[in-house]
Amino acid sequence: MINFDKLNHYIKNELFAYDSPILLHRPVFSGNEKQYLIDCIDSNFVSSVGQKVVDFENQILEYIGIDHAVAIVNGTSALHIAMQLVGVTHNTEVITQPVTFVATCNAISYCNASPVFVDVDKDTLGLSPEKLESFLKDNTKQTREGPVNKISGKRISACVPMHTFGHPCRIEEIADICKKYNLPLVEDAAESLGSYYKGKHTGSFGDIGIVSFNGNKIITAGGGGMLVTNNQDLAVKAKHITTTGKIPHPYEYYHEEVAYNYRLPNLNAALGCAQMEQLTGFLKEKRILADKYNDFFQDLDIQFIREPESCHSNYWLNAVLLANREERDLFLESTNKNGVMTRPIWALMNKLPMFSKCQTGDLSNAEWLEDRVVNIPSSIPTPKTK
C-alpha cells in the first residue's frame, strides 16, 4: 500500500512550500518580462508586426539549431500549417500516436484528413518505430504520391509523432522509416523544448517541427507556438499563409489566396524573449526536481519515468507508473483530495467520440500506459520555495 501521507507531505512541504493547491505546472516570471512588455507597448507595435517577434524567432532557431523559425499564435495552429505545407489534404490520412494531447488530432482534422493510430513504446511514451514500419509494410502499397492505405484506399500524407511530456521518442529511426516510404514527417515537439535525441534537438528531425509556448509549457509566451524547419521554401510559405496571404506592399492590400491570421502578437513574443533568456536555468531546476522525485519514489516502490536511452529530456511534466488502474485511481484520489494536483495520462485518442472510427493498429502498449501513468507537480521552484 502506498504511504499517501508521506507522499502528500513531501510534495506540499519539501518540494513546493506554498499554499495549496500545488499545481501541475505554473509559469515563472522572474526575468525581463515586465520590461519587455513595457518596451513593446511603448513601441506601439503590439500585434503581429514588431521587433520582438523577429527576436523570438531568432532565439528559437539558434537554440534548436535550425535554419528557419516562424512564430505562430499557438502550437495547434502551428501543427495545422505544418501539415498543410507538407501536403496533408482532404480525404488523406495521417499516422500518429494514440497517446497525445488532442491538439495533434484536431490539427489533422483541420486539414480535413483522418488520423490513423499506431502504438507507442513503453519506455519513450512516443510513437514506436517498429510498430510504424510494421503498419506501413502490412497495410500500405507504395505509389508515386507515397503510401496508400490498402484498407481505406486513401493516401497517407504524413506521419506526426509527439515527444510525450518532453521525453524524446526514437525520432531518428522514425525519420529513416518515413524517408524509406516517402512519407513527410511533421514533428510535434510542443512539449519538448530543451530535449535532445542523440545530441540533436527535437523538432529538427522532420520536414517541419513545431513547439508550443502555452501557459503550462517549460517557457511561455502566454500562448504561442513556433514552426521550425531547414526548408526555406516551406518557411517562406508558412510566413505568407499565416499572415493572411497578403502580397507585401507599402500601402496596398492584395491577398492572393485564402489564408490565416495566425501570426504571434508582439506582446506575446516579448514574454517569450524574456523566458528564453531563462531557459537554461529552468532546465537545470527541472532536472534537479526530477532527480529528487526519482530518489523519493524509489523508497515508495513506485517507478518514476526517467528519460529514455540516448535522450536528454527537459522533464517538462513529470510522471510515475503505478502497478495497475486501481492503484492509479487511489493515487489520483488521495493527492487531489489533499491539494496536490495530479492527473492521469490523456484518454487515448481513438477512444474519443470524434476519432473512435479511425483505423488503429495493435495499441496494447498505449492501453497499458493509460491504466498506469500519472502526472505529478512539475513547476520550476520559485525563490519562495527554494
Side-chain angles (χ1 to χ4, degrees):
M1 175 66 71
I2 298 172
N3 187 336
F4 286 112
D5 289 339
K6 182 178 180 180
L7 168 66
N8 290 317
H9 181 273
Y10 180 71
I11 292 177
K12 292 176 70 174
N13 296 283
E14 297 188 42
L15 294 183
F16 305 102
Y18 59 85
D19 293 338
S20 296
I22 308 299
L23 304 178
L24 270 180
H25 203 289
R26 65 177 188 170
V28 174
F29 301 115
S30 56
N32 290 313
E33 288 87 355
K34 289 182 181 179
Q35 184 58 55
Y36 288 174
L37 285 171
I38 292 169
D39 293 343
C40 188
I41 292 168
D42 288 345
S43 76
N44 291 317
F45 288 96
V46 296
S47 293
S48 57
V49 175
Q51 187 58 44
K52 292 301 183 186
V53 175
V54 176
D55 293 345
F56 192 29
E57 289 173 339
N58 287 336
Q59 285 176 307
I60 292 294
L61 67 87
E62 289 172 8
Y63 186 85
I64 291 178
I66 206 156
D67 292 339
H68 306 281
V70 181
I72 309 291
V73 69
N74 56 53
T76 309
S77 298
L79 270 173
H80 175 202
I81 294 301
M83 283 188 261
Q84 183 173 314
L85 289 172
V86 300
V88 178
T89 59
H90 173 73
N91 210 34
T92 65
E93 295 176 337
V94 175
I95 292 176
T96 192
Q97 59 200 58
V99 177
T100 188
F101 182 55
V102 71
T104 307
C105 296
N106 282 344
I108 294 170
S109 299
Y110 298 163
C111 297
N112 294 307
S114 301
V116 172
F117 297 109
V118 170
D119 207 4
V120 298
D121 287 324
K122 288 183 179 180
D123 59 338
T124 71
L125 314 179
L127 187 67
S128 166
E130 287 84 4
K131 296 287 186 73
L132 173 62
E133 179 139 44
S134 177
F135 181 87
L136 288 167
K137 180 181 178 181
D138 296 341
N139 295 281
T140 68
K141 59 182 179 181
Q142 197 65 28
T143 70
R144 287 183 180 180
E145 290 76 30
V148 170
N149 191 324
K150 293 178 182 177
I151 296 174
S152 66
K154 296 180 180 179
R155 179 173 66 90
I156 299 178
S157 53
C159 175
V160 184
M162 197 273 280
H163 302 293
T164 307
F165 307 145
H167 296 301
C169 61
R170 288 154 59 195
I171 189 63
E172 186 178 65
E173 295 173 53
I174 292 170
D176 289 342
I177 293 166
C178 288
K179 185 177 293 185
K180 175 181 174 181
Y181 283 87
N182 191 26
L183 186 59
L185 175 58
V186 174
E187 197 176 344
D188 186 346
E191 303 174 354
S192 62
L193 183 65
S195 297
Y196 295 81
Y197 184 77
K198 295 184 178 180
K200 186 177 179 181
H201 198 288
T202 55
S204 62
F205 288 83
D207 298 277
I208 297 182
I210 71 96
V211 183
S212 172
F213 311 111
N214 187 37
N216 66 350
K217 296 299 190 293
I218 196 159
I219 69 163
T220 183
M226 195 78 70
L227 186 151
V228 294
T229 182
N230 284 318
N231 187 312
Q232 183 176 359
D233 291 338
L234 292 180
V236 170
K237 183 67 172 177
K239 188 164 290 189
H240 181 60
I241 65 173
T242 57
T243 318
T244 67
K246 181 181 179 294
I247 300 296
H249 191 277
Y251 50 85
E252 289 187 353
Y253 285 81
Y254 185 84
H255 305 260
E256 64 177 352
E257 61 181 304
V258 175
Y260 308 92
N261 187 13
Y262 275 5
R263 290 287 276 152
L264 184 70
N266 208 35
L267 279 172
N268 296 91
L271 277 178
C273 288
Q275 291 269 289
M276 277 299 294
E277 294 172 353
Q278 302 165 81
L279 178 57
T280 299
F282 288 170
L283 290 166
K284 181 179 178 181
E285 294 285 356
K286 299 284 280 184
R287 186 161 287 270
I288 290 171
L289 177 62
D291 288 340
K292 288 180 179 179
Y293 269 137
N294 186 60
D295 293 342
F296 174 77
F297 280 109
Q298 284 182 1
D299 291 340
L300 292 186
D301 198 27
I302 295 173
Q303 183 180 340
F304 176 72
I305 296 178
R306 299 289 296 187
E307 61 196 358
E309 185 179 354
S310 301
C311 298
H312 186 87
S313 298
N314 66 1
Y315 285 106
W316 165 60
L317 202 56
N318 292 308
V320 291
L321 200 61
L322 283 308
N324 49 50
R325 183 176 281 265
E326 181 181 5
E327 186 174 274
R328 185 205 75 167
D329 291 345
L330 288 172
F331 189 106
L332 290 165
E333 181 181 2
S334 174
T335 49
N336 282 284
K337 186 181 294 184
N338 284 276
V340 175
M341 185 181 291
T342 61
R343 74 176 190 200
I345 206 167
W346 311 283
L348 300 186
M349 292 298 102
N350 59 294
K351 294 184 179 180
L352 301 182
M354 57 281 199
F355 305 122
S356 61
K357 295 182 180 180
C358 295
Q359 185 178 351
T360 70
D362 168 37
L363 303 182
S364 54
N365 287 343
E367 291 165 352
W368 187 88
L369 291 166
E370 184 186 31
D371 284 342
R372 292 165 174 82
V373 173
V374 171
N375 290 122
I376 54 179
S378 304
S379 301
I380 297 160
T382 62
K384 180 181 176 182
T385 65
K386 288 181 180 178

